[in-house]
Amino acid sequence: MNIINVVLADDHVLVRDGIKALLEDQEGIHVIDEASNGLEALEVIKKNKPHLLIVDIRMPELNGIEVVKEINKRYSDVRTLVLSMHDSEEYVVKAIQAGADGYLLKGASKEEFLKALHKVASGGKYFTGDISAIIMNNFVNGNTTTTTVEEKSIEDPFNLTKREKQILNLVLQLKNNKDIAEELQISKRTAEVHRFNLMKKLDVKNLMELSNKAREFDLV
């Protein structure tokens, strides 16, 4: 069996540790190195020449999309799988335009994660079902107009994605994660991840604080 050498790039140690723990018992997969920011990721790739890079989008120095773009320029034989909590149109389209071979949400199951890893490492493409509609809209219909991460940070101080703003509106309507998942046609786990990330970005601990901050910064 051919060994799949993997490099992990994520600025959160707990995330990297979690992925390593998940892959430890998987035959034929070897995590050979890690990176905590975009520049470090490029250095690690240059040093190790892995088969696959699993990379987050939100990282210091260079973000994951910029890393993917550079890897496609310099090391076209290295496969790239974006693992992100963001399923917004802006991030998905930018990642694909940069040359990502796969895009998976951090709320995915272990089974889907391993399926995506093997598919991308073997030369295929894998895009989670939660973002298939975005791909269809932007690439089948030829609509590739996007807003960059930098532009979004100017528009609101919390850099909320389009999907996070949708979640915010639904949370303020007192909808639970199951209701949100059904309305947005995403998994319940994905809704939970978005909700957690939203509360973390706005630095609030409960619905009252969330509502007050949303009004204060005119987010809804």
Side-chain angles (χ1 to χ4, degrees):
M1 176 183 292
N2 293 329
I3 300 295
I4 302 172
N5 290 324
V6 177
V7 165
L8 306 178
D10 194 297
D11 61 332
H12 293 96
V13 177
L14 286 176
V15 172
R16 299 199 307 271
D17 286 348
I19 296 173
K20 283 194 297 182
L22 187 154
L23 296 178
E24 275 180 357
D25 298 328
Q26 299 301 313
E27 186 177 358
I29 301 175
H30 183 204
V31 177
I32 58 173
D33 215 333
E34 305 172 44
S36 60
N37 63 62
L39 290 178
E40 187 178 346
L42 293 178
E43 287 300 315
V44 168
I45 293 295
K46 180 180 179 180
K47 172 186 173 184
N48 294 283
K49 299 297 194 304
H51 299 109
L52 174 67
L53 170 69
I54 298 175
V55 59
D56 188 21
I57 287 182
R58 301 289 294 277
M59 292 192 299
E61 307 297 342
L62 290 177
N63 65 47
I65 292 172
E66 293 168 324
V67 171
V68 169
K69 187 180 295 185
E70 286 301 312
I71 286 175
N72 273 274
K73 288 179 183 177
R74 306 182 195 181
Y75 317 106
S76 57
D77 56 335
V78 176
R79 309 289 291 172
T80 53
L81 174 62
V82 174
L83 183 63
S84 175
M85 66 179 65
H86 302 289
D87 66 346
S88 70
E89 180 175 321
E90 292 82 6
Y91 286 105
V92 174
V93 176
K94 283 291 186 183
I96 296 172
Q97 289 176 332
D101 298 301
Y103 195 111
L104 190 66
L105 299 179
K106 287 184 176 178
S109 66
K110 174 182 177 181
E111 291 73 21
E112 185 180 16
F113 174 67
L114 292 174
K115 179 181 178 181
L117 187 156
H118 283 286
K119 184 73 177 288
V120 170
S122 64
K125 304 284 186 180
Y126 191 94
F127 299 98
T128 184
D130 285 332
I131 65 171
S132 59
I134 295 174
I135 297 172
M136 290 292 291
N137 178 57
N138 284 276
F139 292 93
V140 174
N141 298 326
N143 175 20
T144 57
T145 301
T146 60
T147 303
T148 66
V149 175
E150 290 76 14
E151 288 171 340
K152 289 185 70 62
S153 65
I154 295 173
E155 291 173 4
D156 86 71
F158 303 103
N159 195 28
L160 298 184
T161 65
K162 184 183 296 183
R163 179 48 59 86
E164 286 167 347
K165 289 180 180 179
Q166 289 177 319
I167 299 286
L168 174 60
N169 274 287
L170 294 173
V171 169
L172 294 179
Q173 293 173 33
L174 303 182
K175 295 196 175 185
N176 59 33
N177 291 328
K178 181 180 178 182
D179 293 335
I180 291 172
E182 290 176 354
E183 181 152 343
L184 298 180
Q185 295 186 323
I186 58 178
S187 69
K188 183 181 176 182
R189 174 58 180 157
T190 298
E192 291 171 353
V193 170
H194 280 306
R195 187 171 188 149
F196 174 81
N197 189 49
L198 178 66
M199 302 287 279
K200 184 177 179 181
K201 276 189 175 183
L202 270 64
D203 191 27
V204 297
K205 297 181 177 61
N206 53 52
L207 183 60
M208 180 65 72
E209 290 182 7
L210 179 66
S211 178
N212 291 337
K213 186 158 286 190
R215 286 198 304 270
E216 179 184 352
F217 290 92
D218 196 25
L219 298 177
V220 293

